[in-house]
Amino acid sequence: MLDQSNKPENENTADSALMARVCWHYFKEGQTQDAIAQHLQLTRKRVNRLLAEARDTGFVQITINSGVSAFGALESGLVERFGLRRAIVVPSPIDGGDARPIIGAAAGHYVSEHLPEPGTLGINWGGTINAAAQNLQRRCGGGNRVVLLCGGLAESTRINPYDNAAMMARALDAVCYYVTAPMFADTAVLRDAFVASGPVQTVLGMVPHLDMALLAAVDLSESSKALEYGLIDPKVWRSLLDAGAVGDICGHYLDAEGGLIVHDLAARVVNPPLKELLKVPQIVLAAGGRQKLAIIRAGIRAKLCHVLITDEQVARALLET
């Protein structure tokens, strides 16, 4: 991705204008990347990079206007098998790559269509939430609220909880509410002190008033983003597995059957109680990739899912087991 943080404003504007021209030629006119490169006197590599950045940052949003799902049978099967209100299944990446961008895009479209206006949306952290924020339909007029349902990170990663919430709020023209505490407290006692503090209590107290919660799932596979981003270290990861955890949803570490596990880390998470989350009238669980199969199934069993947004491979695996 282009780093624009140290560029003068006129250079940022020039890059945005160039990106807009490239996107127009590619998406609206149907020109090939080679033709665009020749027309704008750019390298094909730069054209490709600009198109990728446009998709990654939400500069361009792609919507498929079809009332017919490509996976209607899978969606109906998931609804019937697990008692869901709705299931949305998207194609799995052809090369077995990261499913978060496409699942996040579907989640962004769902929130845009189904969050009341004005409405209050609760979110947790993760790449899927980041992608959803990039694919929201813009609102204006105010009255909307975004509530971050987890604490922050002292050291910023590529996907930061506060950034996700801010992106959501900008897209929805919403007031944003942050949990002003770390994601993990040093001790369980300190965690309780954070939760009891006025600012944190005020935000977590908004959970019963949410219209919708959009939640991502964090797996505990060897490719877990929690490990990659340094959110947990290998020793803690192994101890979570030994305790029976298959992942977490909004900081609630679950076993394969959807039960809460007993673990030191779980006792130090600054997050809303599970019983309060379960009162939210519409919980959307957006997660995919085979590595997340176990935590998705656990989330469904824990009732942390009214609407499931996932990919084809996971949908088929859920119905096969």
Side-chain angles (χ1 to χ4, degrees):
M1 182 179 294
L2 296 175
D3 182 6
Q4 300 182 340
S5 58
N6 295 318
K7 293 183 179 181
E9 184 177 351
N10 60 344
E11 190 173 348
N12 289 335
T13 302
D15 285 349
S16 296
L18 180 59
M19 185 182 292
R21 292 183 68 185
V22 169
C23 289
W24 179 269
H25 291 313
Y26 187 78
F27 293 107
K28 296 294 289 185
E29 296 180 357
Q31 299 289 342
T32 66
Q33 293 184 28
D34 283 331
I36 296 168
Q38 292 178 21
H39 177 67
L40 298 178
Q41 297 183 341
L42 303 172
T43 64
R44 188 181 185 281
K45 182 177 181 180
R46 189 174 183 198
V47 170
N48 182 272
R49 188 169 66 244
L50 286 167
L51 288 170
E53 184 183 359
R55 282 187 285 259
D56 290 344
T57 61
F59 186 90
V60 64
Q61 298 179 3
I62 301 172
T63 302
I64 299 175
N65 294 317
S66 172
V68 180
S69 169
F71 303 105
L74 282 176
E75 292 170 351
S76 297
L78 290 169
V79 168
E80 182 177 355
R81 173 79 174 272
F82 298 106
L84 304 174
R85 297 178 192 170
R86 185 173 176 184
I88 298 172
V89 178
V90 301
S92 300
I94 294 175
D95 58 359
D98 192 351
R100 295 178 300 169
I102 189 169
I103 292 172
H109 296 154
Y110 183 86
V111 171
S112 297
E113 294 176 1
H114 296 278
L115 180 69
E117 191 167 355
T120 302
L121 174 69
I123 63 168
N124 63 341
W125 82 290
T128 304
I129 303 298
N130 186 274
Q134 295 171 19
N135 286 274
L136 287 174
Q137 294 179 12
R138 304 289 167 173
R139 293 186 179 184
C140 60
N144 298 294
R145 301 188 295 180
V146 172
V147 182
L148 184 59
L149 301 176
C150 63
L153 300 174
E155 182 177 336
S156 179
T157 63
R158 190 171 64 85
I159 305 296
N160 187 285
Y162 293 141
D163 289 342
N164 284 0
M167 289 173 62
M168 285 279 186
R170 285 194 296 270
L172 295 174
D173 193 17
V175 176
C176 194
Y177 297 86
Y178 301 102
V179 173
T180 53
M183 186 175 290
F184 301 107
D186 289 340
T187 66
V189 172
L190 186 56
R191 181 266 177 195
D192 292 343
F194 278 130
V195 172
S197 67
V200 175
Q201 196 173 64
T202 297
V203 175
L204 296 184
M206 298 176 69
V207 173
H209 306 291
L210 297 178
D211 295 300
M212 179 188 294
L214 174 62
L215 305 179
V218 179
D219 63 278
L220 289 176
S221 68
E222 292 184 355
S223 60
S224 172
K225 296 301 179 183
L227 276 173
E228 180 181 331
Y229 297 159
L231 194 63
I232 57 175
D233 62 39
K235 183 178 180 180
V236 172
W237 170 72
R238 173 52 61 185
S239 68
L240 283 166
L241 293 177
D242 291 343
V246 295
D248 85 89
I249 297 175
C250 202
H252 294 289
Y253 287 85
L254 306 175
D255 62 23
E257 298 303 315
L260 292 172
I261 68 156
V262 178
H263 189 276
D264 171 68
L265 184 67
R268 296 190 284 112
V269 182
V270 178
N271 62 346
L274 180 59
K275 65 179 181 180
E276 296 300 321
L277 271 180
L278 294 175
K279 295 177 184 178
V280 177
Q282 184 168 196
I283 302 174
V284 181
L285 178 60
R290 285 299 297 261
Q291 75 279 6
K292 294 191 178 184
L293 175 61
I295 183 57
I296 292 170
R297 186 188 294 113
I300 294 172
R301 289 173 173 169
K303 307 300 182 185
L304 282 170
C305 179
H306 300 135
V307 176
L308 175 64
I309 303 177
T310 193
D311 67 283
E312 179 186 5
Q313 288 187 358
V314 169
R316 294 190 186 281
L318 285 170
L319 293 174
E320 289 170 0
T321 55

